[in-house]
Amino acid sequence: MSPDLRPLLTSKKLTFPGFLARLTSMVNRGGNMRTAWKLQDAKARFSQIVEDALKIGPQYVTRRGKKAVVVISTDEFEKLVSQKPSFKEFLLNCPKIDNDFEFERQKDYSRHIEF
């Protein structure tokens, strides 16, 4: 049995919503592998969150029940960042215009303003 679940299951004050919330925050593969953390728990167990991010994958931290931040490994972060070309590379990879392409300017007449 998982060490995280033992106090909950042996407690005489077992409430279904609390039990369900605890179970849904855990991944079923190995008992104590979580992917979502309450902010308060994340502060107390930050080293485990970092370890899980390295071994399991992204770790979500929630604030007031909504996802707030994600802790990911540097390898995953580099993959996300490296996929975007620099602005210079983006401009150089834009479609090229032929030399014989002619621009047709719109004839826009200026307004007459009296001073």
Side-chain angles (χ1 to χ4, degrees), residues 3 6 21 28 37 40 56 58-59 64 67 70 72 75 82 85 91 94 97:
R6 192 171 293 124
N28 204 6
W37 301 81
Q40 183 178 358
I56 300 169
Q59 300 294 305
R64 297 182 192 103
K67 290 181 182 177
V70 179
I72 60 172
D75 292 337
S82 67
L91 290 177
C94 286
I97 298 176

Side-chain angles (χ1 to χ4, degrees), residues 37 41-54 71:
W37 301 81
D41 295 338
K43 288 179 185 179
R45 302 177 74 186
F46 186 69
S47 60
Q48 182 176 353
I49 292 174
V50 171
E51 193 66 30
D52 288 350
L54 293 170
V71 179

